[in-house]
Amino acid sequence: MAMHLKKFVSCVILDLDGTLLNTDGIVSDVLRIFLVKYGKQWDGREAHRVVGKTPLEAAAAIVEEYGLPCTTVDFITEITPMFSNQWCNIKALPGANRLIKHLSSHGVPLALASNSPRASIDSKISYHQGWKESFSVIVGGDEVRMGKPSPEIFLEAAKKLNFEPSSCLVIEDSLPGVMGGKAAGMEVVAVPSIPKQSHLYTAADEVINSLLDLQPEKWGLPPFEDWIEGTLPVEPWYIGGPVIKGFGRGSKVLGIPTANLSSEGYSAVLSEHPLGVYFGWAGLSTRGVYKMVMSIGWNPYFNNTEKTIEPWLLHEFKEDFYGEELRLAIVGYIRPEANFSSLESLISRINEDRRIAVRALDLPVYSSYKDNPFLKSSLNVDGTNS
């Protein structure tokens, strides 16, 4: 089936915080420490009000919400050094390095347009190899009169790139950024950084779950060529813990042995990795190593109120495995989290995910991880099963 081409573009303008860099955790950590001084506790309730805003606007929102006995300027003066000391710890969001390297290697002109001050931008990207060299244009919030949602920062970036606004594709995580890009007359892809907010991004030309799901060819740009039989290799990551549910609701309804892990203690993992369906290998403490598919997310069909980590072990088990220790090596990505109109369509898609994972895990790029010592360090068996 031919892919519907939305519109040809010639260059890409990227936001930084929340789009390329996972700054949410750093912001929360710094504010949590800062607010203790005033006897306050950061609970994240202002997160939606500060995403995409200028530093001054974000500071004003926090001072007002928490009733702090200081001016907005005093707040910024005191907290800025605390943030600066943490820039070296900010991780790139999944897909960010891949996207920058891909577009840069194909000669696509790139610009960075952020509400952050230019000095902060330069400091943040200096810790990520190849980023500074990949952007021919960088525009900070202190280099324009008005920050997002004003279109000024995007128009300035287009001007410096020497392209008409209509030839530019903006990739943004915030509503102010999306509004600014559209006001500038540009195409906009939204990658919402706050969960369950996609429905608010109606102004965007496309809304995707994460940068892993971006399809540049929709915009006339060179396509990624790193997908393998419906899967995307990812930098392997490892998690483990006791199974809090085995053969739970998912098993009964979906017909697949599920092994829910508590999300408690995995806040970093959940913030660093996009919601979606992954796959890899599962080591179950007394049984062996098995192929598995895993979801991270809210499970829209069941309307979960909290994020879940739910591995599906691709093996026929006769006994339950409540309480057993499970270790996971996640090596690839299949698709974003999605909602389904019926249980039948959900089961059909899960069975397709199973087929994709089973086939892919026999490929050398993935099969070698089955022997990772992490999976077997807690096992009492020597053999493996798949």
Side-chain angles (χ1 to χ4, degrees):
M1 182 181 294
M3 178 175 293
H4 174 64
L5 186 67
K6 291 183 176 294
K7 186 174 182 179
F8 280 111
V9 297
S10 302
C11 61
V12 176
I13 302 175
L14 290 157
D15 173 54
L16 183 61
D17 301 319
T19 300
L20 298 178
L21 293 179
N22 183 18
T23 51
D24 291 349
I26 297 294
V27 170
S28 293
D29 289 344
V30 169
L31 288 172
R32 189 173 293 111
I33 294 171
F34 178 86
L35 290 173
V36 167
K37 171 183 174 181
Y38 295 103
K40 308 288 184 178
Q41 183 177 356
W42 169 254
D43 56 13
R45 65 177 182 264
E46 286 307 290
H48 70 284
R49 286 185 59 187
V50 302
V51 170
K53 298 296 181 66
T54 66
L56 187 64
E57 292 169 337
I62 294 170
V63 169
E64 178 185 4
E65 177 66 25
Y66 287 89
L68 300 182
C70 64
T71 67
T72 299
V73 173
D74 290 339
F75 176 90
I76 292 176
T77 300
E78 189 172 353
I79 207 168
T80 295
M82 298 176 66
F83 280 126
S84 298
N85 291 335
Q86 294 297 320
W87 295 154
C88 60
N89 296 321
I90 301 177
K91 295 182 179 181
L93 284 162
N97 281 307
R98 170 180 177 248
L99 176 62
I100 293 171
K101 182 178 180 181
H102 172 75
L103 295 177
S104 179
S105 66
H106 284 85
V108 178
L110 293 178
L112 199 55
S114 170
N115 269 346
S116 293
R118 176 60 186 269
S120 293
I121 296 172
D122 291 339
S123 178
K124 291 172 189 174
I125 67 174
S126 69
Y127 297 102
H128 298 271
Q129 187 175 1
W131 284 26
K132 184 176 182 180
E133 298 77 17
S134 297
F135 293 101
S136 54
V137 169
I138 299 176
V139 184
D142 57 344
E143 297 178 304
V144 293
R145 292 171 300 171
M146 297 180 64
K148 307 168 189 177
S150 165
E152 184 181 357
I153 197 168
F154 296 111
L155 294 173
E156 181 66 16
K159 179 180 177 181
K160 290 185 175 181
L161 285 170
N162 199 28
F163 283 101
E164 291 296 320
S166 59
S167 298
C168 301
L169 175 66
V170 170
I171 302 179
E172 268 280 357
D173 74 298
S174 71
L175 283 172
V178 169
M179 293 166 60
K182 292 309 300 179
M186 302 176 179
E187 302 298 303
V188 178
V189 171
V191 194
S193 56
I194 299 180
K196 297 188 175 184
Q197 296 293 307
S198 297
H199 63 285
L200 301 177
Y201 288 73
T202 54
D205 297 287
E206 182 179 24
V207 181
I208 58 177
N209 183 64
S210 79
L211 293 178
L212 298 178
D213 303 310
L214 182 69
Q215 295 176 280
E217 61 271 31
K218 284 186 176 182
W219 308 95
L221 298 170
F224 288 114
E225 298 178 346
D226 50 359
W227 283 81
I228 304 172
E229 295 191 17
T231 68
L232 176 65
V234 298
E235 188 70 27
W237 41 290
Y238 306 89
I239 59 175
V243 176
I244 60 170
K245 286 183 182 179
F247 288 93
R249 176 177 58 180
S251 304
K252 295 175 182 176
V253 176
L254 307 177
I256 300 174
T258 56
N260 290 27
L261 295 176
S262 171
S263 57
E264 186 176 348
Y266 294 114
S267 58
V269 168
L270 292 173
S271 68
E272 289 172 9
H273 297 280
L275 311 183
V277 176
Y278 300 81
F279 66 96
W281 298 97
L284 198 54
S285 60
T286 62
R287 302 167 193 255
V289 178
Y290 307 91
K291 294 177 178 178
M292 69 89 187
V293 176
M294 184 185 80
S295 69
I296 289 183
W298 304 90
N299 200 328
Y301 183 82
F302 292 115
N303 197 29
N304 289 358
T305 57
E306 296 181 354
K307 281 184 180 179
T308 61
I309 303 173
E310 187 174 358
W312 313 324
L313 277 61
L314 307 182
H315 180 80
E316 294 296 327
F317 291 95
K318 295 181 179 179
E319 307 90 11
D320 208 338
F321 38 79
Y322 286 109
E324 292 196 32
E325 184 177 355
L326 182 70
R327 295 197 174 196
L328 307 174
I330 297 93
V331 299
Y333 175 77
I334 297 177
R335 63 175 175 87
E337 183 178 60
N339 207 349
F340 294 88
S341 57
S342 66
L343 182 60
E344 290 73 22
S345 60
L346 171 61
I347 292 174
S348 175
R349 182 65 236 219
I350 285 178
N351 284 323
E352 176 62 17
D353 294 335
R354 181 213 294 259
R355 287 190 289 271
I356 291 172
V358 167
R359 184 172 61 245
L361 285 166
D362 287 331
L363 300 173
V365 67
Y366 299 126
S367 62
S368 60
Y369 292 100
K370 179 173 66 175
D371 298 319
N372 190 288
F374 173 82
L375 295 173
K376 299 183 178 182
S377 61
S378 63
L379 300 179
N380 297 322
V381 293
D382 296 324
T384 62
N385 299 289
S386 60

